[in-house]
Amino acid sequence: MKRGQRGDEQEGGGSSSSEPRKRLRPQNLEEQEREENALDWGRLPQEILLQVFQYLPLLDRAFASQVCRGWNQAFHMPELWRCFEFELTQPASSYLKATHPDLIKQIIKRHSNHLQYVSFKVDSSTESAEAACDILSQLVNCSLKTLGLISTARPSFMELPKSHFISALTVVFVNSKSLSSLKIDDTPVDDPSLKVLVANNSDTLKLLKMSSCPHVSPAGILCVADQCHGLRELALNYHLLSDELLLALSSERHVHLEHLRIDVVSENPGQLFHTIKKSSWDALVRHSPKFNLVMYFFLYEDEFGPFFQYEVPVTHLYFGRSVSKEVLGRVGLTCPRLVELVVCANGLRPLDEELIRIAERCQQLSAIGLGECEVSCSAFVEFVKMCGRRLSQLSIMEEVLVPDHKYGLDEIHWEVSKHLGRVWFPDMMPTW
Amino acid sequence: MAPNSIHWFRKGLRLHDNPALQEAVRGASTVRCVYFLDPWFAGSSNLGVNRWRFLLQCLDDLDANLRKLNSRLFVIRGQPANVFPRLFKEWDISRLTFEYDTEPFGKERDAAIKKLAMEAGVEVIVKTSHTLYDLDKIIEMNGGQPPLTYKRFQTLISRMDPPEMPVETLSHVVMGKCVTPISEDHGDKYGVPSLEELGFDTEGLPTAVWPGGETEALTRIERHLERKAWVANFERPRMNANSLLASPTGLSPYLRFGCLSCRLFYFRLTDLYRKVKKNSSPPLSLYGQLLWREFFYTAATTNPRFDKMEGNPICVRIPWDRNPEALAKWAEAKTGFPWIDAIMTQLRQEGWIHHLARHAVACFLTRGDLWISWEEGMKVFEELLLDADWSVNAGSWMWLSCSSFFQQFFHCYCPVGFGRRTDPNGDFIRRYLPVLRGFPAKYIYDPWNAPESVQAAAKCVIGVHYPKPMVNHAEASRLNIERMKQIYQQLSRYRGLGLLASVPSTHNGNGNGTIMAYSPGEQQTGTNAATTPPVSGSSVASGNRTGSILLNFDSEEHQGPSGLQQQQLGYQNMPDSSQVINGSRLYQSSIPHDFTVPQLPGCLLHTGGSVTGKRERELDPDSEEEETLSTSHKLQRQIAEKS
């Protein structure tokens, strides 16, 4: 790095013995001059420096900024400060180090108006969530395009006084005016603050992720859907899902929806869930024929009553707890658009017919994962044969497969590999 | 003059198949077998009474067996490095033998002792017998890096020569003219101490479920093989309520302390298989238990930070929660989930739990429910679990917490359902948690759901006599699966909606040393390739390279090779600058728009020559040689021809 700096040759420390030798030859002066220029890293044009800097992590950029004035200026170019991820952690609650407070101060002072893509990662301590809110409320002169509030452990935003959180969040809503993506899962955001969001950012909002926000009501989210016609991705809990919401998302003024993520979580056993009309789903599919519906279920077995009673446009299904054989049977009948199916657990009866039916009816299925379930080896081979090479992801625990008269565990990998067109093995767990 | 030898016992607490011990007596005039009560237990306060007891029983048994050969065991209090020089002089030693220790800490210790011995003119003979294979050879075959998937490991093993046969048991014949000088006060000076002498309160200590020692180990292996022969089925036994209990045929603690030679076990299994299956050659799966152990030893042998998350190149950095109260509830069997608490009680009382029970409690502590670091769980196991070996313990915890080894993470063991599935009646719970004895099977796994009348009838009110569940499992698993997905998406740079595709491919993945290394080309080959979501982050606060850097330049700690490695491999959050600079790629339609921070192709990730992307790895020509995979060759050809 120092090679270009004049007067450094003597202290070069033997590393560049060829350079001084050249210097002794006067006829080479011109050539040397050219070489000097070419090597003068300090004179790199800012655009080139920018290109280089953007490939460097912040630490290296900081080191580089100490080299010369030009590099120091480059360090502060707005382009390099458009995105920033604040990591807010406490030593008592996290193993990871936090963004240094002085750096935070410097960013707020010198670069807050450059910030466009901002995320906050907070650990489980209330102090960290508090710190995130403090920073948020200082972002008055910037126009964010994306904002993410991410809880890396137990959600700590929920522990803040709601008013405190809301006032910090609305600072961003009011000042940004062109927010396009907002990820605020597990926060105490509420209906009035969503109204502020809509009032200031309705033309730009494209993504809203707000799973497990208990203070939002179905009316609150409906207001967002009604007015943010550019909304393409939405994540929320099932209790916020309504026929009205689906119809609003299907209205003519609304762009095509691309991705809807629904978490179905039961708080108490035996909880009753409302139903969504088939006509509402149909309307949404008509409006956005290609949209993905991702549903994660965390229910007790007896709570599935309202689900999979008629055709649902679900594409990705995850069953986080035990799901009955009967419900999986219904999945085969009602989910023609299914792309991925993951079943963490099922009872002790083999899922043979259910899988075969899914292979038959779910023509798009390309990924399947089975945890604590049982499937006979022959049924499994049959399933794979029916799906064939479209199964790009096939993750089955070894224990799931029950050897039968046709296949043992040693043959099955061969059979399945043959049908998949690639080498396949069941997932193994250590016997320890 | 015939040499005077010392054989140094550490693991390998046995007289059968002990090649280093054999070397000690070969042509020697005297031999002394020593055991240091210290090095293995550096920080001995971590070890629970069951582990100490097991060790002392092993030593007692060793001493008893040596007596039969007119020899004795010399238990020496102190540090080997301090004591050896004195012993060399006092006993006029010219030969030192010990079993090769594969673990980084042990290798370091042994290197120091070797140097010390050499300086004292003592010949050092080291023999491998704790593992089946020469682990360095496995690593060499894998291009200098330990294999990171079990499949890859099996492939490598299948190409190696079978393990060496066990050597002869130490006997009068083997001893020949070699004797052990024993002084009158041997017992006082070198006797095996009792638990009381070590400061343990043994009052009310129930008898050991797992008695230590070589003699016990040899009895067990006979029983183990008898049962296998009787069942005549060499597949993994299916789990049932009975398998949860300590079995008199269980071998894992004996293998760990080396009371049982893994090679003896290996060849006895082979013989039995051949006998029962009429000479057909045994599949690798026959040796599953031994090979898993070998896999983790291999993964750990060159990685001194194998038991840590930070600075461990094969460990995914996960922002675990620090929560001492929750950790204590787990460790002390007070989670309020009977299935978890019963297992933890069994572990504390007996020192052993079934491997699926280990999966259940490990998943609960880490990625399943509590989101607490696997390192904490590992430490608790180290205290309580008889067969917890540094490599195997850390490796298994990384595995179970999906912190390494390309594990699918979708599957969380339910702390209610998993137990119910295994032992529907709940007898296991009643055995270890007598307070819940009165609950009917219907509620025994989730007693908090039992109506008050049922709780009253069971004489156990939840929240009074037994704790309420410490987490809402549904809520916790929702949060945790989402976090794992984000972390893995960052690693694999996968941007799709699928959960399964978030995990980097494991096909023949030799991983070449690090789980995080993917070629820059990969982004183009993936299904959702070349797409970057609009949100980027800056990398300031990731890992080591954190905090004060900008202001203090505290780069010292990042200078070493491990630091460098980490900065290359860590899943650092890099802003995708192309898009930052252009600023305009705000929203890409058809791309799920996520907040996992994109990585710039090629910018940070290690791109060493042999690291290949997912696709290439599937076509790894290496795997053509796989003997275990007769199919793979043809299949890969087929694929190669198509593409």
Side-chain angles (χ1 to χ4, degrees):
Chain A
M1 257 184 206
K2 284 185 172 171
R3 284 169 76 205
Q5 287 169 1
R6 285 158 204 279
D8 261 2
E9 284 85 0
Q10 276 82 358
E11 21 187 291
S15 60
S16 51
S17 59
S18 66
E19 271 183 67
R21 222 180 305 136
K22 270 188 190 169
R23 187 138 303 187
L24 295 175
R25 306 211 309 248
Q27 72 270 29
N28 270 356
L29 249 180
E30 214 181 354
E31 185 191 314
Q32 185 210 323
E33 189 81 352
R34 241 182 293 133
E35 196 186 324
E36 282 278 299
N37 279 346
L39 286 174
D40 191 346
W41 292 90
R43 286 192 213 163
L44 273 182
Q46 293 270 303
E47 306 79 66
I48 307 286
L49 260 185
L50 184 58
Q51 287 294 325
V52 176
F53 269 38
Q54 54 171 295
Y55 279 85
L56 297 176
L58 183 55
L59 176 65
D60 292 339
R61 300 206 302 263
F63 285 148
S65 76
Q66 304 291 302
V67 170
C68 63
R69 194 178 299 271
W71 287 20
N72 192 269
Q73 277 164 6
F75 178 78
H76 288 291
M77 279 189 287
E79 288 86 346
L80 296 169
W81 296 96
R82 287 193 178 146
C83 16
F84 197 82
E85 184 177 83
F86 293 93
E87 295 199 33
L88 303 168
T89 61
Q90 311 295 322
S93 49
S94 173
Y95 296 85
L96 305 182
K97 285 189 193 162
T99 309
H100 196 279
D102 292 341
L103 175 60
I104 295 176
K105 261 186 225 150
Q106 202 184 9
I107 288 174
I108 291 175
K109 207 172 102 196
R110 289 191 72 164
H111 297 293
S112 69
N113 54 332
H114 306 140
L115 291 174
Q116 294 181 351
Y117 314 97
V118 175
S119 54
F120 292 86
K121 283 193 171 167
V122 300
D123 66 4
S124 62
S125 78
T126 318
E127 289 97 310
S128 303
E130 198 96 46
C133 288
D134 285 346
I135 298 171
L136 275 179
S137 46
Q138 293 178 69
L139 298 181
V140 282
N141 58 353
C142 62
S143 186
L144 295 190
K145 293 197 166 74
T146 73
L147 173 66
L149 303 183
I150 298 158
S151 302
T152 60
R154 279 169 296 146
S156 48
F157 285 109
M158 291 306 295
E159 284 157 33
L160 293 180
K162 194 176 114 192
S163 58
H164 182 48
F165 175 80
I166 298 292
S167 69
L169 189 63
T170 44
V171 165
V172 176
F173 291 172
V174 170
N175 288 290
S176 286
K177 304 223 189 285
S178 57
L179 261 181
S180 95
S181 305
L182 184 62
K183 181 175 162 72
I184 44 172
D185 302 310
D186 302 291
T187 60
V189 64
D190 61 2
D191 289 359
S193 49
L194 285 181
K195 277 215 172 93
V196 179
L197 170 72
V198 169
N200 292 282
N201 302 276
S202 65
D203 294 340
T204 51
L205 192 71
K206 296 184 169 77
L207 176 148
L208 179 59
K209 290 193 169 182
M210 36 172 281
S211 298
S212 287
C213 294
H215 301 295
V216 174
S217 76
I221 188 65
L222 185 60
C223 157
V224 176
D226 267 337
Q227 305 196 32
C228 301
H229 298 135
L231 198 65
R232 302 178 194 204
E233 291 189 25
L234 184 59
L236 37 81
N237 282 37
Y238 187 76
H239 73 90
L240 294 184
L241 192 68
S242 63
D243 293 306
E244 292 78 13
L245 180 70
L246 293 181
L247 294 176
L249 292 169
S250 320
S251 86
E252 270 174 39
R253 288 169 303 168
H254 212 286
V255 298
H256 297 308
L257 191 70
E258 285 167 11
H259 174 191
L260 180 59
R261 155 80 185 254
I262 308 288
D263 284 355
V264 193
V265 188
S266 86
E267 266 104 55
N268 334 294
Q271 194 175 332
L272 291 177
F273 287 91
H274 64 283
T275 50
I276 297 292
K277 291 196 190 100
K278 180 171 186 300
S279 58
S280 312
W281 285 125
D282 290 346
L284 191 55
V285 177
R286 267 197 307 277
H287 179 70
S288 311
K290 287 186 186 153
F291 95 107
N292 286 297
L293 175 59
V294 182
M295 296 186 85
Y296 278 43
F297 284 89
F298 300 92
L299 298 184
Y300 285 93
E301 278 196 23
D302 52 0
E303 293 169 330
F304 279 95
F307 302 100
F308 308 107
Q309 292 295 357
Y310 48 80
E311 219 165 86
V312 209
V314 65
T315 52
H316 297 73
L317 254 181
Y318 176 83
F319 293 105
R321 313 186 78 161
S322 182
V323 55
S324 71
K325 203 169 141 71
E326 190 236 325
V327 170
L328 286 172
R330 270 158 37 200
V331 166
L333 293 173
T334 57
C335 307
R337 300 171 86 232
L338 198 61
V339 173
E340 178 177 78
L341 173 66
V342 179
V343 180
C344 285
N346 172 259
L348 287 164
R349 285 182 300 154
L351 290 174
D352 295 4
E353 311 89 70
E354 289 74 14
L355 273 189
I356 304 282
R357 184 188 285 165
I358 286 169
E360 204 170 76
R361 304 280 190 111
C362 308
Q363 297 284 329
Q364 313 296 316
L365 191 77
S366 66
I368 187 161
L370 299 178
E372 293 155 53
C373 310
E374 288 196 0
V375 184
S376 76
C377 282
S378 343
F380 182 66
V381 168
E382 184 61 23
F383 168 81
V384 174
K385 195 168 143 192
M386 288 169 78
C387 295
R389 298 190 178 200
R390 71 182 149 96
L391 275 185
S392 59
Q393 296 288 334
L394 180 61
S395 175
I396 313 291
M397 305 272 289
E398 196 185 33
E399 289 87 348
V400 168
L401 300 167
V402 184
D404 54 22
H405 60 285
K406 268 180 98 177
Y407 304 102
L409 285 176
D410 288 328
E411 292 99 30
I412 197 151
H413 110 83
W414 202 97
E415 257 328 283
V416 171
S417 299
K418 201 171 72 185
H419 296 303
L420 289 178
R422 59 185 154 87
V423 181
W424 178 87
F425 287 100
D427 291 353
M428 298 179 72
M429 290 297 258
T431 36
W432 164 54
Chain B
M1 201 185 92
N4 296 315
S5 303
I6 290 181
H7 176 72
W8 180 17
F9 276 112
R10 299 94 62 90
K11 290 172 188 170
L13 302 178
R14 60 172 185 264
L15 301 187
H16 74 274
D17 186 29
N18 196 334
L21 177 59
Q22 210 177 36
E23 287 298 318
V25 299
R26 199 166 46 90
S29 86
T30 66
V31 66
R32 291 175 179 88
C33 294
V34 304
Y35 187 92
F36 287 89
L37 260 187
D38 217 323
W40 185 89
F41 290 99
S44 54
S45 52
N46 286 342
L47 298 174
V49 64
N50 278 325
R51 288 198 68 174
W52 274 107
R53 174 163 63 182
F54 193 93
L55 173 72
L56 297 183
Q57 287 173 341
C58 289
L59 298 180
D60 273 330
D61 187 59
L62 210 49
D63 189 41
N65 289 334
L66 282 168
R67 274 179 206 237
K68 291 176 197 158
L69 301 172
N70 301 322
S71 180
R72 289 294 297 268
L73 179 70
F74 294 69
V75 177
I76 291 161
R77 282 75 167 167
Q79 290 278 356
N82 301 335
V83 183
F84 265 131
R86 180 170 61 79
L87 296 184
F88 291 158
K89 260 195 214 140
E90 199 177 309
W91 295 338
D92 190 22
I93 295 302
S94 50
R95 186 189 289 167
L96 171 66
T97 66
F98 51 83
E99 181 182 59
Y100 180 67
D101 189 341
T102 67
E103 297 182 337
F105 160 77
K107 285 200 283 191
E108 205 178 300
R109 176 203 55 207
D110 292 350
I113 297 296
K114 246 188 200 168
K115 188 161 167 275
L116 195 146
M118 242 97 98
E119 281 162 10
V122 175
E123 176 198 16
V124 178
I125 301 176
V126 183
K127 291 280 174 185
T128 297
S129 52
H130 193 65
T131 53
L132 293 169
Y133 298 94
D134 176 352
L135 305 184
D136 294 332
K137 215 171 260 170
I138 300 177
I139 292 175
E140 193 190 306
M141 279 175 74
N142 198 43
Q145 297 287 351
L148 279 187
T149 67
Y150 184 62
K151 269 292 151 220
R152 175 73 191 169
F153 175 79
Q154 285 184 316
T155 304
L156 294 167
I157 291 297
S158 67
R159 286 186 216 156
M160 293 180 71
D161 293 332
E164 278 178 43
M165 294 292 283
V167 303
E168 217 179 323
T169 304
L170 192 71
S171 62
H172 285 294
V173 178
V174 177
M175 291 279 281
K177 291 196 176 128
C178 180
V179 295
T180 304
I182 302 163
S183 63
E184 289 288 307
D185 56 352
H186 183 94
D188 295 339
K189 263 168 103 177
Y190 302 117
V192 179
S194 66
L195 276 174
E196 291 80 5
E197 285 171 73
L198 292 177
F200 284 98
D201 180 12
T202 52
E203 213 183 288
L205 189 71
T207 51
V209 177
W210 299 84
E214 179 184 12
T215 311
E216 172 73 17
L218 293 173
T219 320
R220 279 173 178 255
I221 190 178
E222 295 307 328
R223 261 189 246 135
H224 184 98
L225 295 166
E226 260 167 44
R227 195 162 90 167
K228 270 225 155 78
W230 186 70
V231 178
N233 170 9
F234 293 94
E235 271 154 17
R236 187 192 274 193
R238 293 195 88 76
M239 173 99 166
N240 61 39
N242 233 347
S243 28
L244 291 169
L245 304 178
S247 151
T249 62
L251 299 174
S252 62
Y254 304 91
L255 286 165
R256 186 257 168 255
F257 283 86
C259 306
L260 176 64
S261 152
C262 58
R263 302 191 295 194
L264 178 72
F265 186 29
Y266 182 97
F267 284 103
R268 295 291 309 268
L269 274 174
T270 311
D271 289 347
L272 179 67
Y273 188 91
R274 294 226 165 97
K275 211 158 93 194
V276 175
K277 298 269 174 171
K278 306 287 174 251
N279 288 328
S280 62
S281 73
L284 273 183
S285 59
L286 178 67
Y287 312 108
Q289 193 185 353
L290 286 173
L291 293 184
W292 274 107
R293 177 176 170 272
E294 203 86 356
F295 171 66
F296 288 125
Y297 282 133
T298 313
T301 184
T302 54
N303 183 355
R305 296 195 64 84
F306 192 69
D307 63 339
K308 307 266 187 311
M309 176 172 79
E310 288 295 341
N312 178 353
I314 69 156
C315 184
V316 179
R317 295 179 69 244
I318 295 175
W320 303 114
D321 194 14
R322 251 192 229 272
N323 188 340
E325 296 85 33
L327 174 65
K329 282 185 187 170
W330 175 82
E332 288 159 22
K334 290 180 181 139
T335 65
F337 289 92
W339 171 237
I340 301 298
D341 292 342
I343 295 171
M344 292 306 287
T345 304
Q346 182 189 26
L347 173 61
R348 194 168 287 275
Q349 286 176 3
E350 301 177 8
W352 179 90
I353 50 179
H354 187 268
H355 68 261
L356 287 176
R358 301 174 193 205
H359 298 185
V361 294
C363 183
F364 183 84
L365 181 73
T366 59
R367 64 193 176 86
D369 292 88
L370 303 185
W371 200 252
I372 287 175
S373 170
W374 59 269
E375 289 178 54
E376 304 294 343
M378 177 191 71
K379 288 177 202 158
V380 173
F381 271 30
E382 187 176 271
E383 178 196 341
L384 302 176
L385 188 67
L386 291 175
D387 60 45
D389 217 346
W390 186 81
S391 310
V392 182
N393 193 19
S396 304
W397 273 95
M398 269 192 275
W399 185 291
L400 298 174
S401 64
C402 291
S403 293
S404 193
F405 309 116
F406 303 92
Q407 269 297 94
Q408 277 289 348
F409 57 82
F410 73 82
H411 173 230
C412 277
Y413 292 99
C414 174
V416 173
F418 184 34
R420 192 174 272 156
R421 225 174 154 254
T422 310
D423 175 21
N425 200 29
D427 294 335
F428 176 73
I429 306 287
R430 290 190 194 90
R431 182 185 175 116
Y432 290 100
L433 301 176
V435 63
L436 297 173
R437 216 169 254 165
F439 276 96
K442 182 167 190 253
Y443 292 111
I444 197 154
Y445 287 97
D446 55 346
W448 62 91
N449 284 331
E452 274 173 38
S453 57
V454 174
Q455 297 188 23
K459 298 201 182 66
C460 175
V461 176
I462 301 307
V464 179
H465 306 108
Y466 180 76
K468 289 183 175 156
M470 65 184 292
V471 283
N472 176 344
H473 173 69
E475 187 57 25
S477 40
R478 179 191 70 80
L479 283 163
N480 293 345
I481 195 82
E482 203 52 34
R483 289 182 198 128
M484 289 306 280
K485 188 172 135 196
Q486 283 208 1
I487 288 157
Y488 269 92
Q489 284 191 334
Q490 235 165 324
L491 279 180
S492 61
R493 287 191 249 126
Y494 167 76
R495 292 281 168 266
L497 295 174
L499 191 64
L500 300 175
S502 310
V503 177
S505 161
T506 64
H507 298 289
N508 298 329
N510 67 357
N512 234 317
T514 154
I515 193 166
M516 287 83 163
Y518 285 93
S519 75
E522 174 146 308
Q523 187 133 351
Q524 272 72 46
T525 60
T527 38
N528 280 270
T531 60
T532 36
V535 172
S536 291
S538 181
S539 69
V540 203
S542 289
N544 270 349
R545 329 192 72 208
T546 20
S548 50
I549 37 176
L550 259 193
L551 309 135
N552 300 337
F553 296 96
D554 61 343
S555 58
E556 298 290 319
E557 57 171 299
H558 315 302
Q559 297 295 330
S562 64
L564 180 68
Q565 219 176 11
Q566 197 183 3
Q567 100 190 29
Q568 286 173 334
L569 308 174
Y571 60 103
Q572 304 236 349
N573 311 313
M574 273 303 297
D576 182 317
S577 351
S578 62
Q579 159 236 67
V580 175
I581 301 294
N582 303 333
S584 55
R585 276 168 67 191
L586 228 190
Y587 189 87
Q588 285 263 359
S589 54
S590 86
I591 297 131
H593 179 108
D594 215 329
F595 276 77
T596 49
V597 176
Q599 263 176 313
L600 193 66
C603 116
L604 233 206
L605 298 171
H606 176 64
T607 53
S610 48
V611 178
T612 54
K614 211 189 244 186
R615 286 293 151 90
E616 287 96 309
R617 207 175 295 138
E618 279 174 25
L619 300 172
D620 180 2
D622 266 10
S623 49
E624 290 182 7
E625 294 161 37
E626 283 175 30
E627 284 162 41
T628 47
L629 302 176
S630 48
T631 46
S632 62
H633 189 176
K634 275 178 278 174
L635 287 165
Q636 291 182 350
R637 271 285 161 75
Q638 243 175 346
I639 298 163
E641 278 160 14
K642 286 219 166 122
S643 52

